[in-house]
Amino acid sequence: MAASDKNKRTCSQGHTYYKKSDCPTCPICEQERKPDSGFLSRLSAPARRALEAQGITTLQMLATFSEKDILKLHGMGPASLPKLREALQEQGLVFKD
């Protein structure tokens, strides 16, 4: 997709980027916000935002939800579940039944 197919935008931080969708999220800001470590660093930006919007920032908090509950969150896709299961397993945790 050529840049001409997309709309040129500038975020509040001054980053210039192109997007075709109506999504207001700046990809440059999202990359800067991405954690360097921890289970949230394994996820895509939409999946990470979905968890953060629900206040789920630790594996202990994540373990209080079922996989079904997590999949209902806007931005969370099935590709994220194996990453989340692995992170939980590493800490001896599992999703709620």
Side-chain angles (χ1 to χ4, degrees):
M1 184 179 318
S4 62
D5 294 342
K6 300 178 181 182
N7 296 316
K8 183 178 180 179
R9 300 180 188 178
T10 303
C11 76
S12 61
Q13 300 298 313
H15 301 126
T16 301
Y17 60 97
Y18 293 86
K19 271 209 172 169
K20 187 172 183 177
S21 72
D22 291 333
C23 177
T25 304
C26 170
I28 300 166
C29 289
E30 277 302 307
Q31 187 60 36
E32 290 175 353
R33 275 185 12 81
K34 184 175 181 173
D36 293 328
S37 62
F39 81 102
L40 291 174
S41 69
R42 302 178 185 190
L43 303 175
S44 66
R48 188 175 64 250
R49 286 192 305 266
L51 293 177
E52 290 171 340
Q54 295 298 309
I56 303 170
T57 57
T58 67
L59 289 170
Q60 290 75 16
M61 295 168 92
L62 180 63
T64 66
F65 292 85
S66 70
E67 289 186 20
K68 205 173 190 180
D69 293 334
I70 296 300
L71 278 176
K72 289 179 186 177
L73 300 177
H74 178 74
M76 186 61 66
S80 297
L81 281 182
K83 296 173 187 177
L84 294 174
R85 273 189 225 110
E86 181 182 346
L88 286 167
Q89 186 179 24
E90 288 171 1
Q91 296 299 311
L93 300 169
V94 294
F95 279 108
K96 179 179 160 186
D97 289 328

